[in-house]
Amino acid sequence: MIQSLKNLDHDFTLVISWTIQRNMSLGAKAEMTGEKHTVSLSNTTRLAIAEMMNSDNAKTVMLEQIYPWYIKAPSDSTAKPILQLLQNQEFVNITVSLKRNGTGDFAREWWVLNQVNKHSSSNTGLELFVFSDKVSPPSLGFLAGYGIMGLYASVVLVIGKFVREFFSGISHSIMFEELPNVDRILKLCTDIFLVRETGELELEEDLYAKLIFLYRSPETMIKWTREKNK
């Protein structure tokens, strides 16, 4: 790696990738969402890293415009950085250093990354803000695919359907359900019941025919169901 860093005839790229895991049961389209950012290190940065790796001192090297800091995590499989929240829409700088512990076969080495100008913490490390999109439950997943207009149109159609069903056929029944005074018709129905109980079948037939005539004659029905003071 040190030789590759010092060989300035070839590019040396650095890749930072991020992966976010989501709960599929909450309606996400993909369980894992992520992206990567690739930069080509400048000659100065490459030589500084090579010198740091050769040295026993804990030096620090600045990696410029490499860290996203703000990421948007949608329900699909791509998590893009939010450049609008970054200064000049450029990735932020981070520092890298090589730490060592022990000597010989028991020596251990690890990289330490640190972010400059963090918001909420002064400890060593990286700060990442993830804006996670709200996802609809699986039962409404087919509507969410059409966006807010599809959801709005679906709600309007469902409500409109219930309203139409509630008022359908009302024009045919309103002439019988909105009668102002039904006392005379109720008395006729009561008479039909009484003559049926007494066995006067011929009289029942005449009264029933009169009731049918009323419902077949709107003008007569209007006269029979007027208010008593009219």
Side-chain angles (χ1 to χ4, degrees):
M1 181 176 177
I2 296 176
Q3 293 178 356
S4 299
L5 289 169
K6 291 184 176 181
N7 186 6
L8 303 181
D9 296 332
H10 303 283
D11 290 338
F12 192 94
T13 57
L14 181 63
V15 180
I16 289 186
S17 61
W18 52 88
T19 304
I20 301 173
Q21 185 175 5
R22 307 196 67 165
N23 191 349
M24 291 290 291
S25 62
L26 298 181
K29 298 179 181 178
E31 182 179 4
M32 306 297 294
T33 175
E35 189 57 80
K36 63 180 180 179
H37 176 58
T38 304
V39 294
S40 180
L41 297 180
S42 63
N43 294 339
T44 303
T45 304
R46 294 171 58 176
L47 295 177
I49 296 176
E51 182 181 356
M52 176 185 61
M53 297 177 65
N54 276 327
S55 175
D56 294 332
N57 299 327
K59 295 183 179 181
T60 301
V61 178
M62 178 74 69
L63 302 179
E64 298 180 352
Q65 300 180 3
I66 195 171
Y67 190 64
W69 202 2
Y70 300 99
I71 293 177
K72 180 180 180 181
S75 59
D76 55 16
S77 59
T78 303
K80 295 289 186 179
I82 307 177
L83 299 179
Q84 292 80 359
L85 298 179
L86 300 175
Q87 186 176 4
N88 298 327
Q89 297 189 5
E90 296 178 350
F91 283 49
V92 298
N93 303 335
I94 63 175
T95 61
V96 58
S97 60
L98 183 62
K99 299 292 184 179
R100 295 179 176 88
N101 185 11
T103 57
D105 296 336
F106 299 97
R108 293 186 301 171
E109 295 181 339
W110 65 94
W111 296 101
V112 176
L113 301 178
N114 188 32
Q115 182 182 349
V116 182
N117 299 327
K118 289 181 288 188
H119 287 315
S120 59
S121 176
S122 59
N123 299 328
T124 302
L126 301 178
E127 186 178 66
L128 182 65
F129 291 92
V130 178
F131 294 83
S132 181
D133 283 354
K134 293 183 177 180
V135 296
S136 60
S139 58
L140 297 178
F142 67 99
L143 293 177
Y146 297 98
I148 187 63
M149 294 303 298
L151 181 61
Y152 174 77
S154 302
V155 172
V156 170
L157 291 177
V158 171
I159 296 177
K161 181 180 179 180
F162 281 108
V163 172
R164 287 196 303 269
E165 291 181 355
F166 180 78
F167 290 103
S168 62
I170 192 173
S171 60
H172 303 288
S173 60
I174 192 172
M175 60 184 298
F176 305 115
E177 295 178 354
E178 301 296 332
L179 297 175
N181 185 11
V182 295
D183 292 344
R184 300 179 68 180
I185 298 178
L186 179 60
K187 184 178 182 301
L188 179 58
C189 294
T190 305
D191 294 341
I192 293 175
F193 173 75
L194 292 176
V195 297
R196 181 181 299 172
E197 293 294 326
T198 57
E200 298 291 340
L201 301 182
E202 293 183 0
L203 181 57
E204 177 192 357
E205 185 178 356
D206 294 339
L207 294 177
Y208 183 75
K210 184 177 182 180
L211 179 64
I212 295 300
F213 172 77
L214 286 174
Y215 277 95
R216 288 182 176 179
S217 176
E219 295 181 359
T220 309
M221 178 68 77
I222 292 175
K223 294 179 181 179
W224 268 55
T225 56
R226 285 177 178 175
E227 296 291 347
K228 294 181 179 180
N229 57 354
K230 293 183 180 182

